[in-house]
Amino acid sequence: MKLEDLNVQGKRVLVRVDYNIPIKDGVAQDETRVAASIPTLQYLLDQGASLVLCSHLGRPKNGPEPKYSLAPVAPLVEKHLGRPVKFVAGSPETEETLAAVQALQPGEVALIENVRFAPGEEKNNPELSAKFAKLADAFVLDAFGSAHRAHSSVSGVAEILPSAAGFLLQKEVDALGNLLGEPERPYVVIIGGAKVSDKLLVIENLLPKVDRILIGGGMAYTFVKAQGGKIGKSIHEDDFLDKANELLKTYGDKIVLPTDTLAGDAFSNDANTEVFDVFNIPDEWEGMDIGPASVEAFTTALQGAKTVFWNGPMGVFEFSKFANGTNSIAAAVAGLEGAYTLVGGGDSVSAINKSGQADRISHISTGGGASLELLEGKKLPGVEAVK
């Protein structure tokens, strides 16, 4: 259901947001996801609703853990929403939480504690879903980053309450849907990150649809080794050598691999560095970033593109010494004129934001895993539940 079709006047609305953001010393470090949730929240408030916001944060293993509390996020929501936000401490499935939100009046907002503190959240426990459903009269899913999870606070509660997709979720699905339909060509995909296994299904699903796919990051060395290259100590996956060879034989004219690499003699920002041919990396060296020739080749391959999807860094982006490849691709994608550009995945988004050119990207996705699964051709449980 579309948000505009959901009757919320005078009702309490449970909104599943994605506030899984970095917290350091009790202070939220990034406001992007909070800011992205505001249009949906403001719309619901304007319609006369009261709001119960819920989200996960991190991966708590044994119930409530203070370091994963959402308490530091409430002031951020207040700042962006421009009104008080009550934080409800305690495990979110308790009678105390229920009593606290039942007291909300139209126009009031509460943020309840981390849903993963509740036993059964990640197992989509029906009893927990029913407890979450008691918190409100209607449900809105606006957490695209969690829409691929069949969890109680995502799809479980959506099957009980009248439900709708929030504006952010709808925007994400529409944006990614553009890549699965008939995107304007040339259509170029850039895939990075450490492992082929993480993104193999995306690569396989997109290869028939794209004009070129540029493969960087650690996964590139699996493709190089599959062709007999010497990759030194570079990360790779032997279990996927045959699959890499198969893709190269079938789609070799579309796949663009690095030709050189910036290698380090240790996995450290303090490592000594040298540029090597990607097929001839000495035994004691490890490929850590695409090299200067590869940066130039990838940038050239992007020229003239009309649709671009980028997910994953070109190297060990967290080390400044090996961030040039990722930063260069960020600049190249941001600099494309007249192209539809979509960036997803934490490091890719971070690179675009740091480049100061985020406003030149058509769409920056808030969900890494969810965007990949959608592009794999999978149905997302959360999206299906609120259709």
Side-chain angles (χ1 to χ4, degrees):
M1 182 188 297
K2 288 186 176 181
L3 190 59
E4 297 91 338
D5 297 328
L6 188 67
N7 179 16
V8 299
Q9 176 70 40
K11 296 182 178 180
R12 260 192 338 275
V13 181
L14 180 66
V15 187
R16 179 53 161 98
V17 288
D18 184 3
Y19 291 163
N20 183 31
I21 60 180
I23 307 288
K24 184 177 181 181
D25 299 326
V27 180
Q29 301 295 301
D30 186 272
E31 303 182 15
T32 306
R33 290 182 176 181
V34 173
S37 72
I38 298 303
T40 294
L41 305 187
Q42 190 61 59
Y43 171 82
L44 292 168
L45 291 168
D46 289 345
Q47 299 304 305
S50 58
L51 305 183
V52 181
L53 312 182
C54 67
S55 176
H56 76 284
L57 176 63
R59 297 178 178 274
K61 297 298 182 185
N62 301 301
E65 296 181 45
K67 68 177 180 179
Y68 293 123
S69 174
L70 281 167
V73 181
L76 267 188
V77 185
E78 280 193 358
K79 170 186 167 183
H80 284 275
L81 200 53
R83 68 179 68 202
V85 174
K86 177 181 180 180
F87 178 69
V88 183
S91 199
E93 82 287 6
T94 63
E95 289 296 321
E96 290 78 9
T97 295
L98 176 59
V101 303
Q102 284 178 329
L104 291 174
Q105 298 300 309
E108 294 184 335
V109 183
L111 171 64
I112 65 174
E113 187 56 281
N114 191 339
V115 292
R116 289 187 179 174
F117 286 179
E121 157 66 6
E122 295 177 83
K123 296 180 180 179
N124 200 12
N125 181 280
E127 292 182 5
L128 180 60
S129 299
K131 288 181 179 179
F132 284 155
K134 286 183 179 180
L135 298 174
D137 308 301
F139 175 69
V140 171
L141 178 62
D142 211 27
F144 179 68
S146 298
H148 59 313
R149 307 295 190 193
H151 291 176
S152 288
S153 69
V154 177
S155 56
V157 69
E159 294 170 359
I160 301 172
L161 292 175
S163 303
F167 294 139
L168 177 60
L169 180 68
Q170 188 65 57
K171 182 180 177 182
E172 292 273 15
V173 172
D174 289 347
L176 288 156
N178 289 338
L179 304 183
L180 292 170
E182 294 294 332
E184 192 174 356
R185 297 182 179 279
Y187 175 18
V188 181
V189 169
I190 312 157
I191 297 286
K195 297 180 178 180
V196 174
S197 55
D198 290 344
K199 298 172 183 177
L200 178 63
L201 292 176
V202 174
I203 293 171
E204 285 188 295
N205 196 44
L206 290 180
L207 270 169
K209 303 176 174 71
V210 305
D211 295 291
R212 289 184 295 280
I213 184 164
L214 318 181
I215 298 178
M219 66 175 62
Y221 303 107
T222 297
F223 284 86
V224 172
K225 186 174 181 181
Q227 298 174 81
K230 291 175 57 182
I231 61 170
K233 294 164 62 179
S234 306
I235 188 173
H236 63 284
E237 293 175 281
D238 286 333
D239 290 347
F240 289 88
L241 294 176
D242 289 342
K243 174 55 72 172
N245 250 328
E246 178 186 320
L247 292 174
L248 287 165
K249 287 178 181 177
T250 307
Y251 299 104
D253 58 329
K254 293 185 176 184
I255 296 173
V256 181
L257 294 171
T259 57
D260 63 345
T261 184
L262 178 63
D265 61 358
F267 191 82
S268 166
N269 198 42
D270 298 324
N272 295 310
T273 64
E274 195 164 336
V275 175
F276 296 105
D277 181 298
V278 77
F279 279 81
N280 288 287
I281 304 172
D283 291 344
E284 297 306 311
W285 291 77
E286 179 176 0
M288 302 277 275
D289 192 13
I290 58 174
S294 300
V295 168
E296 185 175 345
F298 280 21
T299 301
T300 299
L302 284 166
Q303 298 309 306
K306 292 300 182 183
T307 305
V308 175
F309 171 63
W310 175 26
N311 180 286
M314 298 293 98
V316 188
F317 177 66
E318 59 267 33
F319 296 150
S320 59
K321 190 175 281 188
F322 302 104
N324 180 65
T326 302
N327 291 337
S328 297
I329 293 303
V333 172
L336 293 173
E337 297 291 343
Y340 180 81
T341 52
L342 194 155
V343 177
D347 288 331
S348 312
V349 172
S350 176
I352 284 291
N353 286 334
K354 286 182 179 179
S355 74
Q357 302 189 81
D359 59 344
R360 300 181 68 187
I361 301 299
S362 305
H363 182 74
I364 296 178
S365 179
T366 58
S371 62
L372 290 177
E373 290 198 17
L374 198 63
L375 292 175
E376 286 171 15
K378 292 181 179 179
K379 292 184 176 181
L380 308 187
V383 174
E384 295 301 306
V386 297
K387 269 189 175 178

